[in-house]
Amino acid sequence: MDFTIKACNWSKGKANGFLTGKSDAIVLGIFEAQTLTSTARDMDTATKGLISRIVKAGDMSGRAGTTLLIPEVKGIGASRILLVGLGKQDAFNQKAYGEAVRTAWRVILSSKIGQVTFTFAQLPIVERNGDWAVRAAILALRELTYKFTQMKSKPDNGARSLKKIVFSIDSADDKAARVAVKQGVAIANGMDLTRDLGNLPPNICTPTYLGQTAKKLGRDFKLKIEVLGQKQIEALNMGSFLSVAKGSVQPPQFIVMHYNGAGESTKGKNAPIVLVGKGITFDSGGISIKPGESMDEMKYDMCGAGSVFGTLRAVAEMGLKLNVIGVIPTCENMPAGNAVKPGDIITAMNGTTIEVLNTDAEGRLILCDALTYAERFKPAAVVDIATLTGACIIALGHHNTGLFSKDDALASELLDASREAVDPAWRLPLDDEYQDQLKSNFADLANIGGRPAGSVTAACFLSRFSTAYPWAHLDIAGTAWKSGAAKGATGRPVPMLSQFLIDRAGA
Ligand code: BES
Ligand code: MN
Ligand code: ZN
């Protein structure tokens, strides 16, 4: 699908460009109980009053969710008009916009329309402007058209009619809208990669496969890639990470990906942002084995890693002027005769001894060594992303990612980014009072903190290993995946992370 911008001279009162361009359909929004927008009025004039007659006859009320496809239109470049109800104008916020956009795309995708002109970017959206609207429309369309067919023997990829999307925007927004197209496509491509990796079965998407994926990404986008194997991980003394990998026949991998968009980082200048992603390609629970129900879904326990791949892909495609490093510890968590057991005490890379009280709390055990490793980059900030706790799903459901940080500035930066990207996150506490739950009678630290505030104590565990730099933790257990009929990976939180990095790069 090809996205282009067509600027019209709205501000100078010459808004006709969008009316003459040839297309199979033009999408027009109608507010409820409201006079027509200026865009609609222009179209009304060009079609000799067609729009106002339809509204007057009650065939388009403007109610949210309603549509009317008008065929065989004369007087404008498009042969059809798709009217879309937008609801009340004063309530037209980013959520209402998103719903209207998805409604429009659904109608268009179920038709034979090949080229469409989209006028929504001119609508008055509460607190949002035209370039935001363009990007959100692209992301919504790409979300609706994503399909995972790699594992079907006869993939049904039914040819799609929609090929070309033209956004008509005010020429004053021209430059910003072109950037928005680039960002929208890059973020959508990143999300597709994240979703593909999450959806792949765990017998294919192994740690070795993720290592190969990193190398491919490196070739395609000129990233420097390091993939460390068992021996090299041992040499780094990552005893905590290795304890999780032990019970599996799949060798662990430690992946480091460097995107260098700002030049050499020296003396605190151009310090990188480090993204650390949990890459458990299958979480059986290990010796503390999980119940059988939905265990298949534990293939998505590498979605933190997946989102690091997706975000780096997006950042590289956008060509952001900053340095980003992706760090991924990846292995399986399996039961076996030589697997780590409850009661075992292991030594992390930084020398901390950890009593493993539950082998199913493995995410923190692989992340803690990656967080120690990240110190060597003298990072400006580190954000880890992990499907870390079932408790986070209990606390926040599937809408908000859990955000933890002791750094208020970093936390609000991430929350702002999540709002802008419509990829919601909610901050949860990380007070020192919770640290007591991680006390061990035998080692420095226990790997579980009991049932109360399970997501907080998991974050507390990680906080012990991330004191050398500003740090935030994202628990995506509830947001990286959808269960039920639409089972599959969501690509979150790639939009939020990409926005965070766009903002950091000042792009
Ligand atoms: N990967 C799971 C967390 C998870 C659960 C993600 C459900 C997505 C859906 C994690 O490794 C885990 O098993 N956590 C345990 C921690 C507990 C043993 C303290 C949990 O949440 O039950
Ligand atoms: Mn687990
Ligand atoms: Zn896990």
Side-chain angles (χ1 to χ4, degrees):
M1 282 182 298
D2 172 40
F3 300 95
T4 52
I5 295 290
K6 188 172 162 73
C8 310
N9 260 326
W10 298 86
S11 35
K12 300 218 175 73
K14 280 200 285 178
N16 293 340
F18 81 101
L19 292 171
T20 50
K22 291 261 171 279
S23 72
D24 300 323
I26 185 161
V27 185
L28 184 69
I30 304 287
F31 283 113
E32 190 176 347
Q34 194 79 34
T35 52
L36 297 179
T37 63
S38 62
T39 317
R41 261 186 278 127
D42 285 350
M43 207 178 310
D44 194 46
T45 309
T47 57
K48 302 200 166 60
L50 177 64
I51 311 294
S52 46
R53 283 199 301 279
I54 285 170
V55 170
K56 205 164 182 188
D59 292 332
M60 166 45 74
S61 66
R63 264 205 318 281
T66 60
T67 59
L68 183 67
L69 185 62
I70 312 165
E72 298 182 36
V73 176
K74 300 276 170 333
I76 57 173
S79 51
R80 303 175 186 81
I81 300 175
L82 175 62
L83 297 181
V84 179
L86 304 173
K88 298 269 191 322
Q89 180 164 343
D90 54 2
F92 197 62
N93 54 17
Q94 65 174 43
K95 185 157 171 272
Y97 174 78
E99 274 154 22
V101 165
R102 280 188 294 276
T103 302
W105 289 142
R106 282 200 192 94
V107 174
I108 290 161
L109 287 169
S110 63
S111 75
K112 286 260 156 37
I113 292 166
Q115 175 171 341
V116 65
T117 303
F118 205 79
T119 67
F120 276 20
Q122 295 144 3
L123 292 169
I125 309 165
V126 179
E127 286 180 4
R128 297 287 176 223
N129 50 22
D131 50 307
W132 179 92
V134 166
R135 204 177 83 174
I138 292 172
L139 285 166
L141 178 60
R142 290 284 304 268
E143 159 108 57
L144 287 170
T145 52
Y146 174 85
K147 229 172 150 184
F148 182 75
T149 54
Q150 281 184 54
M151 302 310 296
K152 302 275 192 195
S153 59
K154 297 181 193 71
D156 165 27
N157 284 328
R160 182 177 302 125
S161 306
L162 185 59
K163 297 263 158 19
K164 188 163 182 200
I165 298 98
V166 181
F167 292 99
S168 70
I169 52 115
D170 193 306
S171 41
D173 297 334
D174 190 28
K175 215 172 140 214
R178 278 169 214 281
V179 173
V181 169
K182 192 167 178 187
Q183 290 179 348
V185 171
I187 295 170
N189 288 341
M191 290 176 80
D192 283 3
L193 172 60
T194 303
R195 297 178 81 174
D196 283 348
L197 291 172
N199 288 333
L200 278 169
N203 59 329
I204 290 183
C205 184
T206 58
T208 305
Y209 182 91
L210 289 182
Q212 287 161 351
T213 301
K215 286 182 184 153
K216 176 157 192 319
L217 198 63
R219 285 195 298 276
D220 293 351
F221 290 92
K222 298 203 178 66
L223 312 178
K224 194 180 111 201
I225 307 290
E226 300 162 83
V227 180
L228 312 184
Q230 175 83 28
K231 287 266 145 48
Q232 291 152 300
I233 301 169
E234 278 168 17
L236 285 164
N237 293 318
M238 292 188 172
S240 188
F241 174 30
L242 288 168
S243 78
V244 177
K246 247 178 20 154
S248 167
V249 295
Q250 294 291 341
Q253 308 271 275
F254 192 84
I255 303 170
V256 186
M257 303 182 276
H258 300 257
Y259 169 75
N260 230 291
E264 216 47 46
S265 100
T266 41
K267 300 198 184 87
K269 238 188 82 208
N270 300 331
I273 305 281
V274 178
L275 303 177
V276 178
K278 172 177 173 182
I280 296 288
T281 59
F282 187 71
D283 182 9
S284 70
I287 295 298
S288 313
I289 198 160
K290 287 179 181 293
E293 198 195 339
S294 303
M295 205 202 261
D296 64 290
E297 297 193 358
M298 276 303 114
K299 69 176 183 178
Y300 91 84
D301 213 15
M302 39 52 67
C303 280
S307 74
V308 174
F309 281 114
T311 303
L312 274 172
R313 192 194 188 287
V315 165
E317 191 176 332
M318 291 185 279
L320 294 186
K321 291 190 172 51
L322 85 170
N323 296 332
V324 185
I325 301 176
V327 175
I328 294 170
T330 173
C331 66
E332 283 183 335
N333 185 22
M334 297 293 274
N338 62 341
V340 69
K341 309 172 286 299
D344 283 2
I345 293 179
I346 57 181
T347 306
M349 182 180 178
N350 73 352
T352 304
T353 59
I354 303 165
E355 186 183 16
V356 178
L357 292 175
N358 189 318
T359 66
D360 199 10
E362 85 297 341
R364 59 198 83 181
L365 295 178
I366 72 168
L367 289 169
C368 68
D369 283 342
L371 290 169
T372 300
Y373 185 86
E375 285 178 17
R376 68 187 54 202
F377 302 121
K378 302 196 167 49
V382 176
V383 181
D384 79 72
I385 308 102
T387 47
L388 201 63
T389 63
C392 195
I393 311 178
I394 304 300
L396 297 176
H398 298 283
H399 302 294
N400 279 290
T401 291
L403 164 68
F404 301 82
S405 183
K406 293 209 170 185
D407 189 313
D408 289 340
L410 180 59
S412 56
E413 243 184 295
L414 285 162
L415 287 173
D416 286 348
S418 94
R419 254 177 247 118
E420 171 94 16
V422 205
D423 185 3
W426 196 265
R427 191 173 177 187
L428 292 168
L430 196 58
D431 308 57
D432 289 334
E433 282 77 0
Y434 294 93
Q435 293 281 357
D436 287 349
Q437 288 173 237
L438 294 172
K439 280 195 174 137
S440 159
N441 282 5
F442 307 107
D444 298 341
L445 206 55
N447 81 325
I448 53 168
R451 282 176 55 83
S455 307
V456 181
T457 52
C460 282
F461 184 95
L462 298 179
S463 77
R464 303 287 192 103
F465 300 85
S466 49
T467 50
Y469 38 68
W471 164 76
H473 157 60
L474 300 176
D475 195 330
I476 57 167
T479 51
W481 183 259
K482 276 200 173 88
S483 302
K487 179 149 104 173
T490 62
R492 293 178 64 185
V494 171
M496 169 185 175
L497 292 169
S498 302
Q499 185 63 49
F500 167 67
L501 296 168
I502 288 169
D503 295 343
R504 277 268 169 154

